[in-house]
Amino acid sequence: MTPTDATATAGSAPPAPRITAAGRRTRDRIVRTAAELMFRKGVAGTSIPDVQQAAKVSASQIYHYFGDKSDLVRAVIRHQIERTLEGQRPLLDRLDSFEALRAWCDEAVEVQKRRNCEGGCEIGSLASELVETCELMRGELVAAFDRWEAPIREGLRRMRETGVLVADADVDHLATAMLAAVQGGLLLTQVRRSPEPLRAATDAAIGYVETFAA
Amino acid sequence: MTPTDATATAGSAPPAPRITAAGRRTRDRIVRTAAELMFRKGVAGTSIPDVQQAAKVSASQIYHYFGDKSDLVRAVIRHQIERTLEGQRPLLDRLDSFEALRAWCDEAVEVQKRRNCEGGCEIGSLASELVETCELMRGELVAAFDRWEAPIREGLRRMRETGVLVADADVDHLATAMLAAVQGGLLLTQVRRSPEPLRAATDAAIGYVETFAA
């Protein structure tokens, strides 16, 4: 809730709740716009004035919600991991069989085909650009990858519990290998403009998990 | 050979060859310096004046060897893939057994431990930042990854020829999966500051290759 937002919605309804909702919408629009710009032009290539112009907000609105660019970038990371996980649901939340693992990877490959293998991974690109900038940023990236890895590990754990995988299968290790394959596969698929690297990488990761089949 | 280099070495020896060698040294120093800066601060965060100052050269020297920043960045990609491959030799050139694959991956993990898992992959970072900038740049990155993948594929091919792998093992597919695992593993290792993701990713890739053992 800011003077700016109050101004923007002034006179249209009971002040407090409407202003809060409007404030939230403004904040969301800033984050979505920043995320789009940073995905296309990189974080370094996206200035606060760029975001301001594209989101049609004032500088004071941006600085009200985000103390500085670093704050905004961290909100962008959270937004992008949220969108990435959302896009992979419901498959991501039910990785409890080899068929489910394959369906999830097939869908990831299809998404790349639909995009002509352009753009790469929203989170991977942010990670590569930002990981060495500061510990706060790296912490945000660690949290993002942890959120992505959790449902993969959870699915593998259920496979172990239901006897699909052997009892001593290390699901932490397998989930990390799976996420790494997706990340490396997405980068090579982006560079080569071919779905084959992502296909090869995920085939390999699933093939490795299969060596732990009970 | 440039007027600037001629000036730099004037009067010290028979002109032509000395000037050429000096020119090459100057060019190499510019590329090495740019590569170091771009590795630490990103390509977007490294200006021509930054390179000029750090390499102790004039702007005209940089623009003599490199028409523009894009030319210099492409030379940096070539320099970094060269260094990356050099750093992995002789292991990389003899990946013709499971022991050799494991030794190569072990060494990659050890390198990350010695670096405290900081910095990530020189080529992967450049790829992530530059792949969408233009087709010329993407072509340079494709060439870099192709150069890296070639000795992996060659090793796997020898494993197939010597009967270590089954006759119908698809060495192109396996080599791509291996390179993707290294890339994804390096990124997660960098973000988490832990060698475990690279270890997990390469264990998985080798474990997958093992499913094609004769």
Side-chain angles (χ1 to χ4, degrees), chain B:
Chain B
M1 174 165 146
T2 71
T4 320
D5 287 316
T7 306
T9 58
S12 56
R18 288 296 298 262
I19 290 167
T20 302
R24 201 175 305 119
R25 281 198 302 273
T26 303
R27 189 188 181 285
D28 288 353
R29 189 167 78 247
I30 294 169
V31 175
R32 272 199 319 273
T33 306
E36 277 168 32
L37 290 174
M38 289 170 184
F39 183 58
R40 280 195 290 116
K41 313 196 298 170
V43 174
T46 303
S47 67
I48 292 290
D50 291 340
V51 177
Q52 196 185 316
Q53 192 170 24
K56 299 187 174 37
V57 293
S58 67
S60 68
Q61 276 172 303
I62 295 186
Y63 287 111
H64 171 76
Y65 295 107
F66 309 98
D68 56 17
K69 188 176 170 185
S70 162
D71 268 5
L72 175 58
V73 171
R74 284 183 294 134
V76 164
I77 296 171
R78 287 192 289 271
H79 169 79
Q80 291 290 40
I81 187 64
E82 197 62 57
R83 272 190 66 221
T84 299
L85 300 186
E86 211 46 62
Q88 294 177 18
R89 293 202 164 98
L91 291 168
L92 183 64
D93 292 333
R94 239 177 271 172
L95 297 178
D96 52 5
S97 67
F98 286 112
E99 293 67 36
L101 281 174
R102 269 186 225 104
W104 172 60
C105 292
D106 286 348
E107 177 56 22
V109 170
E110 288 307 314
V111 167
Q112 291 306 310
K113 286 184 186 168
R114 286 198 293 272
R115 289 181 175 194
N116 301 315
C117 301
E118 290 171 10
C121 174
E122 286 82 350
I123 294 299
S125 304
L126 287 169
S128 184
E129 182 172 358
L130 299 169
V131 54
E132 302 297 345
T133 53
C134 71
E135 278 300 291
L136 210 60
M137 205 65 85
R138 191 177 72 77
E140 201 70 52
L141 294 163
V142 167
F145 281 121
D146 284 353
R147 285 191 59 191
W148 197 344
E149 194 174 278
I152 305 173
R153 186 171 53 245
E154 189 47 37
L156 294 167
R157 181 174 292 135
R158 280 199 298 273
M159 287 171 76
R160 192 176 60 186
E161 279 169 11
T162 54
V164 176
L165 297 180
V166 294
D168 64 348
D170 183 341
V171 296
D172 295 325
H173 183 79
L174 293 176
T176 300
M178 186 69 80
L179 183 59
V182 169
Q183 281 300 308
L186 282 172
L187 179 64
L188 292 183
T189 276
Q190 181 185 15
V191 168
R192 292 183 171 161
R193 298 285 193 250
S194 156
E196 165 57 17
L198 181 59
R199 167 61 65 204
T202 54
D203 276 359
I206 295 175
Y208 181 61
V209 176
E210 281 175 333
T211 67
F212 295 90

Side-chain angles (χ1 to χ4, degrees), chain A residues 76-149:
Chain A
V76 165
I77 296 172
R78 287 192 290 270
H79 170 79
Q80 291 289 40
I81 187 64
E82 199 60 58
R83 272 190 68 221
T84 298
L85 301 185
E86 212 45 65
Q88 294 177 17
R89 294 201 163 100
L91 291 168
L92 182 64
D93 292 332
R94 241 178 269 173
L95 297 178
D96 51 5
S97 67
F98 286 113
E99 294 67 34
L101 281 173
R102 268 185 227 106
W104 172 61
C105 292
D106 285 349
E107 177 56 22
V109 169
E110 287 308 313
V111 167
Q112 291 306 308
K113 285 184 187 169
R114 287 198 292 273
R115 291 181 172 192
N116 301 316
C117 303
E118 289 171 12
C121 174
E122 286 83 350
I123 295 298
S125 303
L126 287 169
S128 184
E129 182 172 358
L130 299 169
V131 54
E132 302 297 345
T133 53
C134 71
E135 277 300 292
L136 210 61
M137 206 63 85
R138 190 176 73 77
E140 201 70 52
L141 295 163
V142 168
F145 281 122
D146 284 354
R147 286 191 59 190
W148 198 344
E149 194 173 279

